[in-house]
Amino acid sequence: VDSRGSSMFSFMLLNDIEKLRHISERCTFIPVTARSIEQYTRTLVSQIPKYAICTSGGVILEDGKEMPELLN
């Protein structure tokens, strides 16, 4: 789900959220998105994945924060 105020930009069905949770419990799930870090963090449904790739591969997050060894 991504929303600002009362405007919803995107969403997931509850069944899809449960499937994603099921997958995440069994393997390392790494979301990859073209969204900015701010946009990505608005879409988090529950727990923060260990790793995520944002801004079309320009940023790699670990525990929701940019990996320090990859910063300039």
Side-chain angles (χ1 to χ4, degrees):
V1 175
D2 186 359
S3 61
R4 266 185 262 152
S6 61
S7 299
M8 191 185 308
F9 297 96
S10 62
F11 65 93
M12 288 178 69
L13 299 173
L14 290 176
N15 188 38
D16 294 334
I17 293 170
E18 286 303 315
K19 287 178 184 176
L20 184 56
R21 221 176 260 140
H22 181 76
I23 291 169
S24 297
E25 291 171 357
R26 286 162 178 70
C27 65
T28 302
F29 172 73
I30 302 174
V32 179
T33 182
R35 294 173 183 260
S36 68
I37 297 170
E38 179 185 342
Q39 291 170 319
Y40 167 72
T41 55
R42 286 196 314 256
T43 64
L44 295 175
V45 176
S46 58
Q47 65 190 41
I48 297 173
K50 178 72 176 168
Y51 299 101
I53 301 172
C54 296
T55 62
S56 299
V59 176
I60 300 176
L61 304 177
E62 182 176 15
D63 298 320
K65 298 179 182 171
E66 289 186 64
M67 294 179 70
E69 58 269 22
L70 300 177
L71 296 174
N72 295 331

